[in-house]
Amino acid sequence: MSDATPLITHVYTADPSAHTFNGRVYIYPSHDIPTDIVDNDNGDQYAMNDYHVFSMSSPESDEVIDHGVVLKQEDVPWVSKQLWAPDAATKDGKYYLYFPARDKEGIFRIGVAVGDAPEGPFKPDENYIPGSYSIDPACFVDDDGKAYLYFGGIWGGQLQCWTTGKFVREHYENMEAQSGEALSPRVAVLNDDMRTFASEVKNVVILDPETNKPFLHEDHARRFFEAAWLHKYNGKYYFSYSTGDTHYLCYAVGDSPLGPFTYGGRILEPVVGWTTHHSIVEFEGRWWLYYHDASLSGGKNHLRCVKRREIWYDPEGKITVVKPE
Ligand code: FUB
């Protein structure tokens, strides 16, 4: 399968969170669906209402298995609409599916559903994770077993409504910070139950390597927008994300899963379609970027397809999509 080939063509998929579980690659994507809603900055056109799980025997396999619907909107009591970008994690033999959706008041929250196998099915908790908000959860379990949940997204992801620690609906129209520092993604340590926060929600600080200070809000080419991901390579923690309206995937490197992280560069240039979103996974010593574009639908922003390509690290730990000589 070439890098340009969509992995899945019988349904539209996006926001792929890939993990190696039990020697296979499992992909937890959004399941995009057609809608008549016209594109807007609120993201109403992303009207998804269920999740499928997919798996491959390796990133290079030509066969992708669709394990079917593993969670539906109607099965989650607190959700009103919009099942957006999910992630999954495993601990002590259980599998956890993390997902953002709007609650009955239209506020994005993060839910969790639990299963006994990576391919589900997943049973959702009655309510969202207490203290959670905004979108795009990404769970990282460190080598010591400690788990972290990263999340957040500006504009339609509502992070700009949470600057006081409480949801302020009137701040929605600001879309992002109006001056000074850009809004930061968030992280919380998870309890051993993987379903509640053990810590307060903290800012994930991303530093400009030139100034050693957080990016200013007008730095749209480098500031955080959405799509957090955390992976560990060679003892360092890599926090990667989308810059949204400038359409880059970027990364920053730190010595702790809680940061701070120093900006390291771009992973991917803009793809077909408005959004860009990814995950990075190791499989048998090689590293793979899972991402999406809108090529399968001829460029419809809300009808996307998951792809994958290999990535490498140079001797200084910088990510490159070009194979070293
Ligand atoms: O899929 C809906 C939203 O689009 C995701 O939550 C964002 O990351 C963007 O990909």
Side-chain angles (χ1 to χ4, degrees):
M1 194 180 288
S2 92
D3 284 355
T5 310
L7 295 182
I8 299 151
T9 53
H10 64 290
V11 286
Y12 289 108
T13 54
D15 310 322
S17 292
H19 292 275
T20 302
F21 292 142
N22 307 330
R24 288 182 73 80
V25 179
Y26 285 85
I27 308 167
Y28 302 85
S30 297
H31 173 200
D32 283 355
I33 52 173
T35 172
D36 293 333
I37 299 168
V38 176
D39 278 19
N40 59 48
D41 289 345
N42 199 33
D44 295 328
Q45 65 276 23
Y46 301 101
M48 301 84 100
N49 58 25
D50 67 18
Y51 295 111
H52 289 228
V53 173
F54 302 85
S55 74
M56 316 171 69
S57 60
S58 88
E60 292 177 291
S61 169
D62 284 331
E63 190 192 15
V64 182
I65 294 177
D66 180 355
H67 295 281
V69 174
V70 297
L71 186 71
K72 302 196 287 291
Q73 180 176 302
E74 66 223 52
D75 295 337
V76 192
W78 61 268
V79 165
S80 64
K81 60 180 182 176
Q82 291 181 298
L83 295 185
W84 282 10
D87 189 21
T90 184
K91 190 164 182 178
D92 300 332
K94 293 280 185 198
Y95 292 83
Y96 299 88
L97 182 71
Y98 298 96
F99 58 96
R102 286 184 194 264
D103 69 11
K104 305 285 187 200
E105 292 171 354
I107 301 173
F108 270 110
R109 304 283 188 172
I110 294 165
V112 58
V114 187
D116 293 318
E119 65 271 27
F122 295 95
K123 186 173 179 326
D125 281 1
E126 286 283 306
N127 210 340
Y128 53 78
I129 298 175
S132 71
Y133 54 85
S134 197
I135 59 166
D136 292 359
C139 186
F140 170 72
V141 183
D142 208 348
D143 302 328
D144 61 4
K146 206 164 167 186
Y148 303 82
L149 197 70
Y150 301 82
F151 55 93
I154 61 174
W155 296 25
Q158 302 178 339
L159 194 58
Q160 67 276 16
C161 298
W162 288 95
T163 51
T164 64
K166 291 205 163 59
F167 185 77
V168 182
R169 203 174 288 274
E170 293 68 38
H171 288 181
Y172 176 74
E173 293 300 330
N174 292 343
M175 292 294 185
E176 54 187 298
Q178 294 302 290
S179 61
E181 289 177 10
L183 295 174
S184 296
R186 306 290 204 263
V187 61
V189 179
L190 286 165
N191 278 312
D192 281 342
D193 66 7
M194 298 289 275
R195 299 149 95 158
T196 50
F197 290 163
S199 75
E200 59 179 7
V201 173
K202 303 169 201 285
N203 284 346
V204 174
V205 176
I206 304 169
L207 299 172
D208 182 339
E210 309 290 319
T211 62
N212 219 26
K213 292 190 175 138
F215 289 128
L216 298 178
H217 88 98
E218 63 258 32
D219 194 343
H220 287 215
R222 295 187 297 173
R223 62 94 170 86
F224 172 83
F225 188 99
E226 62 186 5
W229 187 256
L230 198 286
H231 75 282
K232 192 175 184 179
Y233 172 78
N234 211 11
K236 295 277 188 191
Y237 298 89
Y238 286 68
F239 179 83
S240 44
Y241 58 96
S242 163
T243 61
D245 58 333
T246 48
H247 317 289
Y248 300 117
L249 289 177
C250 297
Y251 72 98
V253 185
D255 292 318
S256 156
L258 295 173
F261 300 93
T262 302
Y263 181 82
R266 288 182 197 160
I267 306 171
L268 199 66
E269 297 296 308
V271 295
V272 177
W274 200 95
T275 65
T276 187
H277 191 125
H278 72 301
S279 58
I280 294 171
V281 64
E282 182 180 18
F283 187 87
E284 295 182 350
R286 290 162 67 187
W287 289 85
W288 298 86
L289 175 74
Y290 282 75
Y291 65 102
H292 71 228
D293 66 24
S295 58
L296 186 63
S297 66
K300 290 195 176 70
N301 289 331
H302 65 287
L303 295 177
R304 300 162 290 180
C305 58
V306 169
K307 296 183 171 181
R308 62 99 188 91
R309 62 187 295 173
E310 191 164 8
I311 59 168
W312 295 267
Y313 300 82
D314 77 8
E316 275 141 32
K318 285 198 160 293
I319 294 177
T320 166
V321 292
V322 180
K323 189 173 185 182
E325 295 289 304

